[in-house]
Amino acid sequence: MTMKIKQWLLVIVLTATATVRAQIAMIEKTVPEDGLLTLEDLNYGGRNYWNMVPQNRYYTWWGDQLVRTDVEECFLVDPLTGRESPFLQLNLVERWAGTSPDMKVRHLLNVRFPYPDQKLMLLSNGKERLLVSWESKIIVWRQQADRQEHADWSAASRAVAFVRGNNLYVLDRDGKETQLSHDGSRNLVYGQSVHRNEFGISKGTFWSPDGQRLAFYRMDQSAVTDYPQVDIFQREAAYAPDKYPMAGEQSHTVTVGVYDMLSGKTVWLKTPVSADVAAVGSHEADNLPVYFTNIQWSPDSKTIYMFEINRDQNDCRLVSYDAQTGERLAELCREVSDKYVEPLHPITFLPWDSGKFILQSQRDGYNHLYVYNVDGTLDKQLTSGNFVVMELVGFNEADKTVIIASNEASPIQRNLYAVDVKTGRRTRLDNGRGYHHATLSGTGRYLVDNFSEPDVPRVIGVLSTTPTKGKGRRPSATLPTGRDGEGVLFKAGDPWEGYQQPAFECGTLKAADGTTDLFYRMVKPVGFNPSKQYPVIVYVYGGPHAHCVDATWHYMSRGWESYMATKGYLMFIIDNRGSENRGRDFEQATFRQLGQVEMQDQMKGIEYLKTLPYVDATRIGVHGWSFGGFMTISLMTNHNDVFKVGVAGGPVIDWKWYEVMYGERYMDTPYDNPEGYEQTSLIRQAPNLKGKLQIITGYNDDTVVPQHCLSFIAACIAAGTQPDFMVYPGEPHNMRGRQSYHLHERISQYFDDYLK
């Protein structure tokens, strides 16, 4: 796992699956007499939590036909009128399947329509995959699905790749199972994500478009040191180690295999990597590719494209390979930096021209799209400007446009645009406000727009991706626009209606450099009285690949902030330099000195707070998790005359104990940047702890291992300073379920005890 998986983000990640659970079994909501929001209402793991998040509906596409999925039923949706026609019921599927009770499909929320020209639905009950014909009312195909980890199904061949017992298998459409590896273990990992999920990697298998070839990762981590985790939930505590490559130490090596379904053979890509490139302190290794990421197939399934990055992460090359022989074909482009290059997206071929592809890069300072020819020559830069392309959603093939999400309208917004590949002309498709996520139809002619605004919990509508000629930025009138309630499919009500709510405000401050705008959010106490003075809690994350303020509902405020606002606290959050979606230089300002520039910017927020008459400058606290835990202790010890109370969760204490890929990208190795590691280490700050500090960690944290906080506590003991400490046995980097509720109850109580 990476540092970008944080406590506040975990809530968002889990929302979709937990909302499914909430739809199946809702708890009746009643507003208490005092109208105050509680922790049970606002925190993940709370008993009323899923009643207090904006309602959602689930839509998918069957080609260009819109479908709404639900627990017991699916509906065809007329995108012009929003009228729904039920066409499939769960009880009918169960009847057609003729399965035993333990093989039943439990709900229809995750149904897929893999073939736009066939009336077939893909369902799974965890033990079988089923293709259902709702026209013939039969199961036309079924496949075993139990005992399959990391399953990856190909619609083209109906084969599935999966891991079982640390080895990689392929099950073809006829049920024939082939074992691709026989030496899988903790040391030799097949078919799973590698490089600790950095570089945009989220899985380890990649089917070719025709479904006949499978590219897959093999990771040899035998040279990686075991971190000695302990399982205490046994009669005698057991050794349960994690493979954890620390910055500057030996890492794993990765190779890419290609299995051919027709020949039954596997070839290995002949990458220029050898077993010694991960050697400790090897500067030769810095110049050789050790990270392989963003694997992509050519449309004809004959060529594999992959980004190769050296260990120093300042030299990135896009390379092509022959999928049949594994031979290295060509280096198509190269990007170098005096800091780091971080590819996060595979190349994407134009569907109407297989001789061209789109590459994403922030070489000009912002993530933009570039059109390349397959011989590696640059055709054009497709997008440009002081904004970030946040997602390449897909294509409208008929119009020859690419659909993107970007923050061109505002650094804290996410809006949808159609970009003409020939001219580069961008046409906005949505209402120009808020934060929008798109699901594109089969041909790319339409999209489902699921969005929110600071005062709008959720709206779902359908947009055309074909701009109307002569009408500038307006979308086509042939479909509902989703603008200002017009043609909307679904609009969620305010789940907090009837409760006393805090006020949410957003603004900008200048960074410590005097020129850069930083966005902040303020949550004012319920019943705010400007003539009173309030204690302040600064919530901080501050690290790369994350942000805390945007134009979603309540400006992205976490429920815990509102809970604390009901208790009389003023909450303040600012996105410092180093955070995401503001461009390369904004993020890379922290290179080789994590925490230093971030603290300077956070202190500009403190300067602003001290100018407000309703802020009690003698009662300022700070709280954060992960990178935010690192920032919390950094602020508490470097500015111990400002912060009275802090709660640091899962904190990094010294970057030499953090993992290779992330740590070396931002800090280089401890051998190359000893001054930076010394400057940013919190061990040296232990004598400077003055206020009340509580440190919290998951006892089995495999992201920020317990060595961090334990070492800081040891340093505090030696220095005679007095932090408090809490652990959650068996928990990883983020607390889950009811443990999360308990955690936030403890955090809240700590501020009540020492700040209020």
Side-chain angles (χ1 to χ4, degrees):
M1 304 295 286
T2 67
M3 284 286 288
K4 58 191 172 192
I5 299 178
K6 309 164 293 296
Q7 179 149 3
W8 64 266
L9 184 58
L10 182 67
V11 172
I12 298 171
V13 170
L14 293 175
T15 296
T17 54
T19 302
V20 170
R21 189 187 322 139
Q23 288 196 12
I24 296 173
M26 292 288 288
I27 303 171
E28 184 178 353
K29 182 175 73 173
T30 57
V31 179
E33 288 187 10
D34 61 9
L36 292 178
L37 293 157
T38 69
L39 200 59
E40 294 282 11
D41 298 323
L42 297 174
N43 194 80
Y44 179 74
R47 293 187 175 90
N48 200 40
Y49 177 76
W50 294 112
N51 279 315
M52 304 302 291
V53 296
Q55 288 184 318
N56 199 1
R57 284 192 179 180
Y58 301 92
Y59 294 89
T60 187
W61 292 99
W62 167 39
D64 281 345
Q65 170 64 60
L66 184 60
V67 178
R68 182 168 76 86
T69 64
D70 211 325
V71 176
E72 305 256 349
E73 201 163 18
C74 290
F75 305 84
L76 298 178
V77 182
D78 184 334
L80 292 171
T81 66
R83 293 195 190 97
E84 297 182 346
S85 304
F87 76 102
L88 191 80
Q89 290 78 40
L90 182 60
N91 61 342
L92 293 179
V93 175
E94 293 171 348
R95 187 185 309 165
W96 302 337
T99 55
S100 59
D102 66 329
M103 300 286 275
K104 286 185 177 181
V105 176
R106 303 301 177 188
H107 60 77
L108 297 176
L109 286 162
N110 297 327
V111 65
R112 291 169 55 187
F113 299 85
Y115 309 109
D117 57 345
Q118 300 180 54
K119 295 183 177 181
L120 297 176
M121 309 167 62
L122 180 68
L123 296 163
S124 177
N125 56 22
K127 296 188 177 182
E128 285 185 311
R129 266 174 221 94
L130 308 171
L131 274 176
V132 180
S133 169
W134 68 84
E135 183 176 48
S136 303
K137 299 180 175 56
I138 59 173
I139 305 297
V140 301
W141 176 84
R142 62 202 319 157
Q143 182 188 62
Q144 174 190 342
D146 63 329
R147 297 175 60 224
Q148 294 179 359
E149 301 174 15
H150 309 284
D152 185 5
W153 185 76
S154 166
S157 63
R158 297 186 189 175
V160 62
F162 64 92
V163 174
R164 181 193 299 145
N166 293 314
N167 282 304
L168 182 62
Y169 295 77
V170 166
L171 183 68
D172 71 15
R173 64 179 296 156
D174 298 321
K176 179 185 176 183
E177 186 175 280
T178 302
Q179 185 171 348
L180 305 191
S181 69
H182 294 81
D183 56 351
S185 65
R186 286 185 64 244
N187 288 326
L188 296 176
V189 178
Y190 289 90
Q192 300 175 50
S193 62
V194 298
H195 306 322
R196 295 187 65 82
N197 292 1
E198 296 292 342
F199 312 108
I201 298 171
S202 61
K203 63 174 192 168
T205 53
F206 310 87
W207 282 106
S208 61
D210 64 7
Q212 296 303 314
R213 289 191 174 111
L214 176 75
F216 61 91
Y217 281 127
R218 176 187 185 270
M219 176 171 63
D220 182 348
Q221 51 183 2
S222 56
V224 177
T225 301
D226 280 332
Y227 185 84
Q229 300 279 13
V230 177
D231 176 6
I232 68 162
F233 296 104
Q234 299 189 36
R235 174 63 179 82
E236 296 180 358
Y239 182 52
D242 289 324
K243 289 290 185 180
Y244 195 91
M246 290 185 179
E249 301 300 318
Q250 284 190 302
S251 186
H252 55 246
T253 58
V254 168
T255 48
V256 178
V258 183
Y259 172 69
D260 190 310
M261 293 265 292
L262 298 178
S263 69
K265 296 180 179 180
T266 296
V267 299
W268 297 92
L269 300 190
K270 298 177 182 178
T271 55
V273 61
S274 59
D276 64 343
V277 298
V280 179
S282 169
H283 289 280
E284 179 185 4
D286 292 344
N287 298 316
L288 290 171
V290 295
Y291 302 124
F292 303 103
T293 186
N294 296 298
I295 292 172
Q296 181 62 284
W297 284 91
S298 61
D300 63 7
S301 301
K302 294 180 179 179
T303 308
I304 290 176
Y305 299 84
M306 183 170 66
F307 287 100
E308 301 181 351
I309 312 160
N310 64 333
R311 178 154 176 175
D312 207 34
Q313 300 183 49
N314 58 10
D315 189 340
C316 175
R317 308 173 192 226
L318 175 64
V319 180
S320 59
Y321 288 89
D322 186 311
Q324 184 174 0
T325 66
E327 293 292 336
R328 187 182 181 93
L329 298 177
E331 180 182 307
L332 300 177
C333 63
R334 182 181 182 184
E335 186 174 344
V336 297
S337 169
D338 59 352
K339 294 182 178 177
Y340 55 86
V341 181
E342 185 185 12
L344 295 171
H345 311 279
I347 63 172
T348 308
F349 281 88
L350 299 182
W352 57 86
D353 186 350
S354 60
K356 295 181 185 295
F357 60 82
I358 291 179
L359 178 146
Q360 298 188 50
S361 170
Q362 56 177 0
R363 65 185 62 167
D364 77 343
Y366 296 86
N367 190 58
H368 282 297
L369 307 184
Y370 297 79
V371 180
Y372 273 84
N373 299 303
V374 289
D375 63 3
T377 58
L378 176 64
D379 182 77
K380 69 181 71 173
Q381 181 172 351
L382 186 58
T383 62
S384 62
N386 296 338
F387 64 90
V388 173
V389 174
M390 304 164 85
E391 182 185 3
L392 192 164
V393 178
F395 299 92
N396 180 325
E397 186 170 352
D399 290 348
K400 292 183 171 52
T401 57
V402 56
I403 311 305
I404 66 169
S406 82
N407 62 359
E408 179 176 358
S410 165
I412 64 170
Q413 291 184 196
R414 176 186 167 104
N415 297 102
L416 306 174
Y417 296 82
V419 184
D420 189 303
V421 174
K422 183 177 181 180
T423 66
R425 181 176 180 267
R426 294 187 298 277
T427 303
R428 180 171 49 78
L429 302 174
D430 59 33
N431 66 6
R433 305 187 300 271
Y435 221 78
H436 296 251
H437 294 272
T439 305
L440 209 58
S441 72
T443 65
R445 293 173 60 197
Y446 317 117
L447 60 81
V448 170
D449 177 19
N450 191 324
F451 72 94
S452 72
E453 299 176 28
D455 57 353
V456 176
R458 186 189 309 279
V459 176
I460 303 175
V462 178
L463 303 179
S464 168
T465 61
T466 300
T468 302
K469 293 181 180 179
K471 291 192 176 180
R473 299 165 71 88
R474 287 192 61 81
S476 170
T478 62
L479 282 173
T481 67
R483 291 171 176 265
D484 303 314
E486 178 188 354
V488 166
L489 296 173
F490 175 73
K491 185 174 183 179
D494 183 351
W496 296 7
E497 185 176 0
Y499 288 83
Q500 296 189 55
Q501 299 187 28
F504 301 89
E505 298 179 3
C506 181
T508 61
L509 297 171
K510 292 299 181 185
D513 64 4
T515 59
T516 305
D517 284 334
L518 306 177
F519 286 85
Y520 71 83
R521 174 179 68 248
M522 184 181 294
V523 184
K524 291 183 175 178
V526 170
F528 176 72
N529 182 346
S531 64
K532 291 179 59 177
Q533 284 198 325
Y534 295 93
V536 175
I537 299 175
V538 175
Y539 177 73
V540 60
Y541 181 72
H545 290 297
H547 68 280
C548 293
V549 184
D550 64 32
T552 52
W553 192 47
H554 295 164
Y555 295 105
M556 200 184 167
S557 180
R558 302 164 67 243
W560 178 76
E561 296 166 23
S562 293
Y563 173 65
M564 298 306 283
T566 69
K567 295 163 70 69
Y569 295 93
L570 187 147
M571 308 297 297
F572 185 79
I573 298 90
I574 190 167
D575 280 330
N576 50 247
R577 284 173 294 166
S579 54
E580 70 177 354
N581 294 339
R582 297 295 303 278
R584 180 195 62 204
D585 295 343
F586 187 93
E587 180 182 288
Q588 294 189 352
T590 65
F591 182 61
R592 289 171 62 98
Q593 52 174 342
L594 288 177
Q596 308 310 299
V597 168
E598 299 94 321
M599 274 195 292
Q600 295 171 23
D601 286 353
Q602 290 292 329
M603 293 309 295
K604 299 305 286 188
I606 296 298
E607 288 180 20
Y608 168 67
L609 288 170
K610 287 182 175 181
T611 68
L612 302 176
Y614 46 82
V615 165
D616 185 345
T618 67
R619 291 186 294 165
I620 297 178
V622 58
H623 166 52
W625 199 271
S626 196
F627 198 105
F630 164 67
M631 288 296 298
T632 295
I633 300 179
S634 296
L635 290 165
M636 284 286 295
T637 54
N638 283 277
H639 300 278
N640 58 15
D641 57 335
V642 173
F643 295 95
K644 183 178 180 181
V645 181
V647 179
V652 172
I653 295 298
D654 193 309
W655 290 102
K656 71 173 177 287
W657 294 319
Y658 199 65
E659 53 97 342
V660 164
M661 298 84 198
Y662 185 105
E664 293 182 4
R665 178 187 310 133
Y666 302 117
M667 289 290 293
D668 282 337
T669 69
Y671 314 104
D672 295 327
N673 184 23
E675 299 85 1
Y677 276 83
E678 174 66 18
Q679 175 67 23
T680 60
S681 174
L682 297 179
I683 295 296
R684 63 197 292 271
Q685 296 294 334
N688 298 329
L689 179 62
K690 182 177 178 183
K692 293 295 296 184
L693 171 65
Q694 178 166 246
I695 301 170
I696 307 176
T697 191
Y699 184 73
N700 295 93
D701 192 335
D702 60 354
T703 301
V704 182
V705 293
Q707 183 170 357
H708 286 270
C709 54
L710 295 174
S711 297
F712 182 75
I713 290 168
C716 288
I717 293 170
T721 51
Q722 295 282 346
D724 294 320
F725 185 47
M726 173 69 179
V727 299
Y728 282 83
E731 289 297 291
H733 190 49
N734 297 285
M735 307 311 125
R736 302 163 292 182
R738 200 62 181 168
Q739 288 91 334
S740 177
Y741 177 86
H742 185 279
L743 166 69
H744 284 84
E745 192 175 42
R746 184 172 185 88
I747 295 169
S748 305
Q749 186 62 52
Y750 200 79
F751 285 113
D752 284 348
D753 288 345
Y754 299 110
L755 189 64
K756 197 169 187 179

